Amino acid sequence: MAQILLVLFYLLIPFVILHLCHKFPFVNKLGAVFIAYLVGLIVGNIGILPEWAGGIQDTLTTITVPLAIPLLLFSSNLKQWKSMAGKAMVSLLIGITSVVAIVIAGYFIFMGKGMADLWKVSGMLIGVYTGGTPNLASLKMMLNVDPDVYILTHTYDMIISTVFLAFLMTVGKKFFSLFLPAFKDDNMEEVEYTNGSDPFWGIFKREIFYPLLKAYGLTILIFAIAGGLSLLVPKNSQVVVVILTITTLSIVASTFKKINAIEKTFESGMYLILIFSVVVASMADISRFAGLTPGLFGYITLAVFGSLFLQVVLGKIFKVDADTTIITSTALICSPPFVPVVAAAINNRKVILSGISIGIIGYAVGNYLGFAIAELLKTIQ
């Protein structure tokens, strides 16, 4: 009975968090992921979890992320990526190149500064700053990152990303306009966006939930196929095969209109990420954080603002305008949900569509890129 109650707690607490975010604007400003980590840290460090909780935690962290990936990617569309405006594609390539270059440079700068398995942190930073939290969670599994390191990395990421966003939304446009050309494209589609709407609202309506069941079934099928393929490789490679197979099959599935058109798949995936966030946070031991912090805050700060600086330099060379640079950096560093917010702050709704497209591409490539760079750094450490 106690085991069932613990499982129900982990499965239902994100629902409570989302309800609070919907009801109270100040809670929503903190963000559901932040609240999920906070709840998990409190539950895991006040001594109420039994010794046997570890088995349930391991099971939930093992299944939530692989099930979340397809749902997050079903709403993307590979065919649409080809139609992105030329300068947006150039900006995307510049943005990803900047993140990879700075993270690799930072690895050599901070190597030997008291952080164990820095190559794993590098892989996670590549993933989260080309994609987002789902990629960070995926790479945590693929690289077998210690829960304490994962939580501390993500905590610092949220702090630094908040400062980053505040900069872009206040003085960013004026500052970058000193170096980059002005935005000019009268032919781009202007996208209407109401930030006050709750993306999770209405998910249980019959016309939305019934089609979602098909998406859930396909998600389970993809998970089963990936699990079967993983049995063909050595045990230490199985998690990697599962994640990369799921990512690939999900991208392929997203090209089918009937799948791509299903509403609320992304929100369903994010609900699973919230479950993962609560569980993994409850596995972290706050008392161990002091021994993990040297250099990590500096490394993440360099990854965020260093990549932005390099993106501006390369943007100047390739004549990418200030608005596109800002929205690309937002999509990569902070993920697609922040694109409309920043677009409104810089008073340019025409960059929303390209920004969201860039962010979705980042979700798709983040797992591949993060794992590849981590393994590369591991071989040369």
PDB file of all heavy atoms in Angstrom, residues 72-106:
ATOM      1  N   LEU A  72       6.851  14.901 -27.131  1.00  0.00           N
ATOM      2  CA  LEU A  72       7.428  16.227 -27.328  1.00  0.00           C
ATOM      3  C   LEU A  72       7.739  16.494 -28.800  1.00  0.00           C
ATOM      4  O   LEU A  72       7.663  17.634 -29.263  1.00  0.00           O
ATOM      5  CB  LEU A  72       8.702  16.370 -26.495  1.00  0.00           C
ATOM      6  CG  LEU A  72       8.518  16.395 -24.976  1.00  0.00           C
ATOM      7  CD1 LEU A  72       9.860  16.230 -24.277  1.00  0.00           C
ATOM      8  CD2 LEU A  72       7.848  17.693 -24.534  1.00  0.00           C
ATOM      9  N   LEU A  73       8.093  15.435 -29.534  1.00  0.00           N
ATOM     10  CA  LEU A  73       8.535  15.609 -30.921  1.00  0.00           C
ATOM     11  C   LEU A  73       7.427  15.413 -31.955  1.00  0.00           C
ATOM     12  O   LEU A  73       7.598  15.808 -33.110  1.00  0.00           O
ATOM     13  CB  LEU A  73       9.697  14.651 -31.229  1.00  0.00           C
ATOM     14  CG  LEU A  73      11.017  14.947 -30.507  1.00  0.00           C
ATOM     15  CD1 LEU A  73      12.052  13.888 -30.835  1.00  0.00           C
ATOM     16  CD2 LEU A  73      11.543  16.328 -30.888  1.00  0.00           C
ATOM     17  N   PHE A  74       6.303  14.826 -31.562  1.00  0.00           N
ATOM     18  CA  PHE A  74       5.217  14.612 -32.530  1.00  0.00           C
ATOM     19  C   PHE A  74       4.726  15.918 -33.140  1.00  0.00           C
ATOM     20  O   PHE A  74       4.261  15.943 -34.271  1.00  0.00           O
ATOM     21  CB  PHE A  74       4.032  13.902 -31.863  1.00  0.00           C
ATOM     22  CG  PHE A  74       4.252  12.428 -31.633  1.00  0.00           C
ATOM     23  CD1 PHE A  74       3.455  11.725 -30.744  1.00  0.00           C
ATOM     24  CD2 PHE A  74       5.254  11.734 -32.304  1.00  0.00           C
ATOM     25  CE1 PHE A  74       3.641  10.374 -30.527  1.00  0.00           C
ATOM     26  CE2 PHE A  74       5.463  10.376 -32.094  1.00  0.00           C
ATOM     27  CZ  PHE A  74       4.646   9.692 -31.197  1.00  0.00           C
ATOM     28  N   SER A  75       4.804  17.008 -32.383  1.00  0.00           N
ATOM     29  CA  SER A  75       4.292  18.292 -32.884  1.00  0.00           C
ATOM     30  C   SER A  75       5.267  18.991 -33.820  1.00  0.00           C
ATOM     31  O   SER A  75       4.941  20.017 -34.415  1.00  0.00           O
ATOM     32  CB  SER A  75       3.954  19.223 -31.716  1.00  0.00           C
ATOM     33  OG  SER A  75       5.092  19.446 -30.910  1.00  0.00           O
ATOM     34  N   SER A  76       6.483  18.470 -33.938  1.00  0.00           N
ATOM     35  CA  SER A  76       7.439  19.042 -34.893  1.00  0.00           C
ATOM     36  C   SER A  76       7.133  18.488 -36.273  1.00  0.00           C
ATOM     37  O   SER A  76       6.360  17.543 -36.425  1.00  0.00           O
ATOM     38  CB  SER A  76       8.879  18.699 -34.485  1.00  0.00           C
ATOM     39  OG  SER A  76       9.100  17.302 -34.543  1.00  0.00           O
ATOM     40  N   ASN A  77       7.735  19.061 -37.294  1.00  0.00           N
ATOM     41  CA  ASN A  77       7.494  18.588 -38.652  1.00  0.00           C
ATOM     42  C   ASN A  77       8.743  18.813 -39.493  1.00  0.00           C
ATOM     43  O   ASN A  77       9.063  19.941 -39.857  1.00  0.00           O
ATOM     44  CB  ASN A  77       6.301  19.315 -39.282  1.00  0.00           C
ATOM     45  CG  ASN A  77       5.852  18.653 -40.579  1.00  0.00           C
ATOM     46  OD1 ASN A  77       6.640  18.046 -41.293  1.00  0.00           O
ATOM     47  ND2 ASN A  77       4.559  18.750 -40.874  1.00  0.00           N
ATOM     48  N   LEU A  78       9.429  17.728 -39.804  1.00  0.00           N
ATOM     49  CA  LEU A  78      10.683  17.798 -40.557  1.00  0.00           C
ATOM     50  C   LEU A  78      10.501  18.469 -41.908  1.00  0.00           C
ATOM     51  O   LEU A  78      11.368  19.206 -42.370  1.00  0.00           O
ATOM     52  CB  LEU A  78      11.237  16.371 -40.743  1.00  0.00           C
ATOM     53  CG  LEU A  78      12.652  16.232 -41.305  1.00  0.00           C
ATOM     54  CD1 LEU A  78      13.664  16.863 -40.367  1.00  0.00           C
ATOM     55  CD2 LEU A  78      12.991  14.772 -41.550  1.00  0.00           C
ATOM     56  N   LYS A  79       9.342  18.252 -42.533  1.00  0.00           N
ATOM     57  CA  LYS A  79       9.101  18.829 -43.852  1.00  0.00           C
ATOM     58  C   LYS A  79       9.046  20.354 -43.795  1.00  0.00           C
ATOM     59  O   LYS A  79       9.446  21.040 -44.729  1.00  0.00           O
ATOM     60  CB  LYS A  79       7.791  18.283 -44.426  1.00  0.00           C
ATOM     61  CG  LYS A  79       7.824  16.783 -44.712  1.00  0.00           C
ATOM     62  CD  LYS A  79       6.464  16.294 -45.185  1.00  0.00           C
ATOM     63  CE  LYS A  79       6.489  14.786 -45.428  1.00  0.00           C
ATOM     64  NZ  LYS A  79       5.160  14.266 -45.838  1.00  0.00           N
ATOM     65  N   GLN A  80       8.540  20.893 -42.685  1.00  0.00           N
ATOM     66  CA  GLN A  80       8.435  22.340 -42.557  1.00  0.00           C
ATOM     67  C   GLN A  80       9.786  23.002 -42.330  1.00  0.00           C
ATOM     68  O   GLN A  80       9.960  24.181 -42.627  1.00  0.00           O
ATOM     69  CB  GLN A  80       7.489  22.689 -41.401  1.00  0.00           C
ATOM     70  CG  GLN A  80       6.044  22.327 -41.670  1.00  0.00           C
ATOM     71  CD  GLN A  80       5.139  22.649 -40.489  1.00  0.00           C
ATOM     72  OE1 GLN A  80       5.613  22.986 -39.413  1.00  0.00           O
ATOM     73  NE2 GLN A  80       3.845  22.534 -40.690  1.00  0.00           N
ATOM     74  N   TRP A  81      10.738  22.248 -41.784  1.00  0.00           N
ATOM     75  CA  TRP A  81      12.050  22.834 -41.502  1.00  0.00           C
ATOM     76  C   TRP A  81      12.719  23.326 -42.780  1.00  0.00           C
ATOM     77  O   TRP A  81      13.464  24.300 -42.760  1.00  0.00           O
ATOM     78  CB  TRP A  81      12.952  21.815 -40.819  1.00  0.00           C
ATOM     79  CG  TRP A  81      12.426  21.330 -39.496  1.00  0.00           C
ATOM     80  CD1 TRP A  81      11.335  21.794 -38.830  1.00  0.00           C
ATOM     81  CD2 TRP A  81      12.975  20.296 -38.685  1.00  0.00           C
ATOM     82  NE1 TRP A  81      11.160  21.107 -37.655  1.00  0.00           N
ATOM     83  CE2 TRP A  81      12.147  20.184 -37.540  1.00  0.00           C
ATOM     84  CE3 TRP A  81      14.066  19.447 -38.816  1.00  0.00           C
ATOM     85  CZ2 TRP A  81      12.395  19.259 -36.535  1.00  0.00           C
ATOM     86  CZ3 TRP A  81      14.311  18.528 -37.810  1.00  0.00           C
ATOM     87  CH2 TRP A  81      13.489  18.432 -36.689  1.00  0.00           C
ATOM     88  N   LYS A  82      12.439  22.627 -43.897  1.00  0.00           N
ATOM     89  CA  LYS A  82      13.068  22.989 -45.165  1.00  0.00           C
ATOM     90  C   LYS A  82      12.616  24.355 -45.655  1.00  0.00           C
ATOM     91  O   LYS A  82      13.315  24.999 -46.438  1.00  0.00           O
ATOM     92  CB  LYS A  82      12.740  21.931 -46.224  1.00  0.00           C
ATOM     93  CG  LYS A  82      13.265  20.535 -45.892  1.00  0.00           C
ATOM     94  CD  LYS A  82      12.836  19.538 -46.968  1.00  0.00           C
ATOM     95  CE  LYS A  82      13.291  18.131 -46.623  1.00  0.00           C
ATOM     96  NZ  LYS A  82      12.834  17.142 -47.641  1.00  0.00           N
ATOM     97  N   SER A  83      11.441  24.790 -45.207  1.00  0.00           N
ATOM     98  CA  SER A  83      10.884  26.049 -45.700  1.00  0.00           C
ATOM     99  C   SER A  83      11.273  27.243 -44.831  1.00  0.00           C
ATOM    100  O   SER A  83      10.781  28.346 -45.049  1.00  0.00           O
ATOM    101  CB  SER A  83       9.353  25.948 -45.766  1.00  0.00           C
ATOM    102  OG  SER A  83       8.810  25.738 -44.472  1.00  0.00           O
ATOM    103  N   MET A  84      12.135  27.033 -43.843  1.00  0.00           N
ATOM    104  CA  MET A  84      12.563  28.149 -42.996  1.00  0.00           C
ATOM    105  C   MET A  84      13.276  29.207 -43.822  1.00  0.00           C
ATOM    106  O   MET A  84      13.988  28.899 -44.778  1.00  0.00           O
ATOM    107  CB  MET A  84      13.508  27.639 -41.897  1.00  0.00           C
ATOM    108  CG  MET A  84      12.814  26.953 -40.732  1.00  0.00           C
ATOM    109  SD  MET A  84      14.002  26.409 -39.486  1.00  0.00           S
ATOM    110  CE  MET A  84      14.723  27.979 -39.007  1.00  0.00           C
ATOM    111  N   ALA A  85      13.086  30.446 -43.438  1.00  0.00           N
ATOM    112  CA  ALA A  85      13.752  31.548 -44.137  1.00  0.00           C
ATOM    113  C   ALA A  85      15.257  31.367 -44.079  1.00  0.00           C
ATOM    114  O   ALA A  85      15.799  30.847 -43.094  1.00  0.00           O
ATOM    115  CB  ALA A  85      13.346  32.867 -43.496  1.00  0.00           C
ATOM    116  N   GLY A  86      15.938  31.805 -45.148  1.00  0.00           N
ATOM    117  CA  GLY A  86      17.383  31.595 -45.241  1.00  0.00           C
ATOM    118  C   GLY A  86      18.155  32.143 -44.066  1.00  0.00           C
ATOM    119  O   GLY A  86      19.022  31.467 -43.507  1.00  0.00           O
ATOM    120  N   LYS A  87      17.840  33.370 -43.640  1.00  0.00           N
ATOM    121  CA  LYS A  87      18.606  33.973 -42.560  1.00  0.00           C
ATOM    122  C   LYS A  87      18.336  33.277 -41.223  1.00  0.00           C
ATOM    123  O   LYS A  87      19.203  33.238 -40.345  1.00  0.00           O
ATOM    124  CB  LYS A  87      18.307  35.466 -42.453  1.00  0.00           C
ATOM    125  CG  LYS A  87      16.902  35.818 -42.016  1.00  0.00           C
ATOM    126  CD  LYS A  87      16.765  37.331 -41.872  1.00  0.00           C
ATOM    127  CE  LYS A  87      15.368  37.718 -41.406  1.00  0.00           C
ATOM    128  NZ  LYS A  87      15.215  39.171 -41.265  1.00  0.00           N
ATOM    129  N   ALA A  88      17.123  32.713 -41.067  1.00  0.00           N
ATOM    130  CA  ALA A  88      16.810  31.975 -39.844  1.00  0.00           C
ATOM    131  C   ALA A  88      17.628  30.694 -39.784  1.00  0.00           C
ATOM    132  O   ALA A  88      18.122  30.309 -38.715  1.00  0.00           O
ATOM    133  CB  ALA A  88      15.322  31.663 -39.779  1.00  0.00           C
ATOM    134  N   MET A  89      17.788  30.032 -40.925  1.00  0.00           N
ATOM    135  CA  MET A  89      18.597  28.814 -40.965  1.00  0.00           C
ATOM    136  C   MET A  89      20.065  29.128 -40.695  1.00  0.00           C
ATOM    137  O   MET A  89      20.742  28.391 -39.960  1.00  0.00           O
ATOM    138  CB  MET A  89      18.449  28.131 -42.334  1.00  0.00           C
ATOM    139  CG  MET A  89      19.190  26.807 -42.448  1.00  0.00           C
ATOM    140  SD  MET A  89      18.632  25.579 -41.234  1.00  0.00           S
ATOM    141  CE  MET A  89      17.018  25.156 -41.910  1.00  0.00           C
ATOM    142  N   VAL A  90      20.553  30.223 -41.268  1.00  0.00           N
ATOM    143  CA  VAL A  90      21.933  30.639 -40.996  1.00  0.00           C
ATOM    144  C   VAL A  90      22.102  30.944 -39.510  1.00  0.00           C
ATOM    145  O   VAL A  90      23.096  30.545 -38.879  1.00  0.00           O
ATOM    146  CB  VAL A  90      22.297  31.888 -41.834  1.00  0.00           C
ATOM    147  CG1 VAL A  90      23.653  32.462 -41.394  1.00  0.00           C
ATOM    148  CG2 VAL A  90      22.343  31.543 -43.315  1.00  0.00           C
ATOM    149  N   SER A  91      21.123  31.628 -38.941  1.00  0.00           N
ATOM    150  CA  SER A  91      21.180  31.968 -37.523  1.00  0.00           C
ATOM    151  C   SER A  91      21.160  30.718 -36.652  1.00  0.00           C
ATOM    152  O   SER A  91      21.847  30.646 -35.629  1.00  0.00           O
ATOM    153  CB  SER A  91      20.008  32.881 -37.164  1.00  0.00           C
ATOM    154  OG  SER A  91      20.118  33.335 -35.836  1.00  0.00           O
ATOM    155  N   LEU A  92      20.367  29.718 -37.053  1.00  0.00           N
ATOM    156  CA  LEU A  92      20.327  28.447 -36.326  1.00  0.00           C
ATOM    157  C   LEU A  92      21.697  27.773 -36.322  1.00  0.00           C
ATOM    158  O   LEU A  92      22.196  27.331 -35.273  1.00  0.00           O
ATOM    159  CB  LEU A  92      19.288  27.522 -36.961  1.00  0.00           C
ATOM    160  CG  LEU A  92      19.330  26.045 -36.518  1.00  0.00           C
ATOM    161  CD1 LEU A  92      19.010  25.916 -35.034  1.00  0.00           C
ATOM    162  CD2 LEU A  92      18.357  25.211 -37.351  1.00  0.00           C
ATOM    163  N   LEU A  93      22.314  27.696 -37.502  1.00  0.00           N
ATOM    164  CA  LEU A  93      23.635  27.061 -37.609  1.00  0.00           C
ATOM    165  C   LEU A  93      24.671  27.820 -36.785  1.00  0.00           C
ATOM    166  O   LEU A  93      25.521  27.214 -36.116  1.00  0.00           O
ATOM    167  CB  LEU A  93      24.060  26.977 -39.077  1.00  0.00           C
ATOM    168  CG  LEU A  93      23.191  26.081 -39.972  1.00  0.00           C
ATOM    169  CD1 LEU A  93      23.636  26.185 -41.426  1.00  0.00           C
ATOM    170  CD2 LEU A  93      23.259  24.637 -39.499  1.00  0.00           C
ATOM    171  N   ILE A  94      24.596  29.145 -36.824  1.00  0.00           N
ATOM    172  CA  ILE A  94      25.507  29.970 -36.031  1.00  0.00           C
ATOM    173  C   ILE A  94      25.276  29.722 -34.542  1.00  0.00           C
ATOM    174  O   ILE A  94      26.230  29.579 -33.763  1.00  0.00           O
ATOM    175  CB  ILE A  94      25.314  31.464 -36.358  1.00  0.00           C
ATOM    176  CG1 ILE A  94      25.873  31.782 -37.750  1.00  0.00           C
ATOM    177  CG2 ILE A  94      25.994  32.342 -35.310  1.00  0.00           C
ATOM    178  CD1 ILE A  94      25.599  33.203 -38.206  1.00  0.00           C
ATOM    179  N   GLY A  95      24.006  29.662 -34.140  1.00  0.00           N
ATOM    180  CA  GLY A  95      23.681  29.462 -32.734  1.00  0.00           C
ATOM    181  C   GLY A  95      24.181  28.136 -32.201  1.00  0.00           C
ATOM    182  O   GLY A  95      24.789  28.071 -31.117  1.00  0.00           O
ATOM    183  N   ILE A  96      23.937  27.061 -32.933  1.00  0.00           N
ATOM    184  CA  ILE A  96      24.384  25.732 -32.498  1.00  0.00           C
ATOM    185  C   ILE A  96      25.903  25.660 -32.485  1.00  0.00           C
ATOM    186  O   ILE A  96      26.509  25.118 -31.542  1.00  0.00           O
ATOM    187  CB  ILE A  96      23.794  24.639 -33.409  1.00  0.00           C
ATOM    188  CG1 ILE A  96      22.284  24.547 -33.195  1.00  0.00           C
ATOM    189  CG2 ILE A  96      24.454  23.286 -33.141  1.00  0.00           C
ATOM    190  CD1 ILE A  96      21.581  23.538 -34.080  1.00  0.00           C
ATOM    191  N   THR A  97      26.542  26.212 -33.519  1.00  0.00           N
ATOM    192  CA  THR A  97      28.003  26.238 -33.574  1.00  0.00           C
ATOM    193  C   THR A  97      28.582  26.990 -32.379  1.00  0.00           C
ATOM    194  O   THR A  97      29.573  26.556 -31.770  1.00  0.00           O
ATOM    195  CB  THR A  97      28.482  26.903 -34.877  1.00  0.00           C
ATOM    196  OG1 THR A  97      27.991  26.166 -35.998  1.00  0.00           O
ATOM    197  CG2 THR A  97      30.013  26.957 -34.936  1.00  0.00           C
ATOM    198  N   SER A  98      27.968  28.097 -32.008  1.00  0.00           N
ATOM    199  CA  SER A  98      28.440  28.911 -30.886  1.00  0.00           C
ATOM    200  C   SER A  98      28.345  28.141 -29.576  1.00  0.00           C
ATOM    201  O   SER A  98      29.268  28.152 -28.757  1.00  0.00           O
ATOM    202  CB  SER A  98      27.630  30.209 -30.796  1.00  0.00           C
ATOM    203  OG  SER A  98      27.769  30.975 -31.967  1.00  0.00           O
ATOM    204  N   VAL A  99      27.215  27.464 -29.355  1.00  0.00           N
ATOM    205  CA  VAL A  99      27.035  26.679 -28.129  1.00  0.00           C
ATOM    206  C   VAL A  99      28.073  25.576 -28.032  1.00  0.00           C
ATOM    207  O   VAL A  99      28.745  25.409 -27.002  1.00  0.00           O
ATOM    208  CB  VAL A  99      25.611  26.074 -28.073  1.00  0.00           C
ATOM    209  CG1 VAL A  99      25.513  25.038 -26.950  1.00  0.00           C
ATOM    210  CG2 VAL A  99      24.572  27.162 -27.865  1.00  0.00           C
ATOM    211  N   VAL A 100      28.250  24.831 -29.118  1.00  0.00           N
ATOM    212  CA  VAL A 100      29.203  23.718 -29.115  1.00  0.00           C
ATOM    213  C   VAL A 100      30.622  24.216 -28.879  1.00  0.00           C
ATOM    214  O   VAL A 100      31.369  23.662 -28.058  1.00  0.00           O
ATOM    215  CB  VAL A 100      29.115  22.929 -30.446  1.00  0.00           C
ATOM    216  CG1 VAL A 100      30.240  21.899 -30.532  1.00  0.00           C
ATOM    217  CG2 VAL A 100      27.760  22.241 -30.565  1.00  0.00           C
ATOM    218  N   ALA A 101      31.007  25.282 -29.579  1.00  0.00           N
ATOM    219  CA  ALA A 101      32.367  25.808 -29.463  1.00  0.00           C
ATOM    220  C   ALA A 101      32.666  26.303 -28.045  1.00  0.00           C
ATOM    221  O   ALA A 101      33.728  26.002 -27.483  1.00  0.00           O
ATOM    222  CB  ALA A 101      32.570  26.944 -30.469  1.00  0.00           C
ATOM    223  N   ILE A 102      31.732  27.032 -27.447  1.00  0.00           N
ATOM    224  CA  ILE A 102      31.964  27.598 -26.119  1.00  0.00           C
ATOM    225  C   ILE A 102      31.938  26.514 -25.042  1.00  0.00           C
ATOM    226  O   ILE A 102      32.739  26.545 -24.103  1.00  0.00           O
ATOM    227  CB  ILE A 102      30.923  28.695 -25.807  1.00  0.00           C
ATOM    228  CG1 ILE A 102      31.098  29.873 -26.763  1.00  0.00           C
ATOM    229  CG2 ILE A 102      31.052  29.166 -24.363  1.00  0.00           C
ATOM    230  CD1 ILE A 102      32.461  30.549 -26.683  1.00  0.00           C
ATOM    231  N   VAL A 103      31.043  25.556 -25.164  1.00  0.00           N
ATOM    232  CA  VAL A 103      30.990  24.464 -24.178  1.00  0.00           C
ATOM    233  C   VAL A 103      32.280  23.642 -24.221  1.00  0.00           C
ATOM    234  O   VAL A 103      32.829  23.276 -23.178  1.00  0.00           O
ATOM    235  CB  VAL A 103      29.761  23.556 -24.409  1.00  0.00           C
ATOM    236  CG1 VAL A 103      29.856  22.287 -23.558  1.00  0.00           C
ATOM    237  CG2 VAL A 103      28.479  24.304 -24.060  1.00  0.00           C
ATOM    238  N   ILE A 104      32.772  23.370 -25.423  1.00  0.00           N
ATOM    239  CA  ILE A 104      34.032  22.627 -25.544  1.00  0.00           C
ATOM    240  C   ILE A 104      35.193  23.443 -24.983  1.00  0.00           C
ATOM    241  O   ILE A 104      36.042  22.926 -24.238  1.00  0.00           O
ATOM    242  CB  ILE A 104      34.301  22.250 -27.017  1.00  0.00           C
ATOM    243  CG1 ILE A 104      33.290  21.200 -27.484  1.00  0.00           C
ATOM    244  CG2 ILE A 104      35.725  21.706 -27.182  1.00  0.00           C
ATOM    245  CD1 ILE A 104      33.419  20.830 -28.948  1.00  0.00           C
ATOM    246  N   ALA A 105      35.237  24.737 -25.315  1.00  0.00           N
ATOM    247  CA  ALA A 105      36.288  25.609 -24.775  1.00  0.00           C
ATOM    248  C   ALA A 105      36.208  25.660 -23.253  1.00  0.00           C
ATOM    249  O   ALA A 105      37.231  25.590 -22.552  1.00  0.00           O
ATOM    250  CB  ALA A 105      36.155  27.014 -25.366  1.00  0.00           C
ATOM    251  N   GLY A 106      34.995  25.772 -22.732  1.00  0.00           N
ATOM    252  CA  GLY A 106      34.802  25.806 -21.286  1.00  0.00           C
ATOM    253  C   GLY A 106      35.243  24.534 -20.603  1.00  0.00           C
ATOM    254  O   GLY A 106      35.748  24.553 -19.465  1.00  0.00           O
TER     255      GLY A 106
END
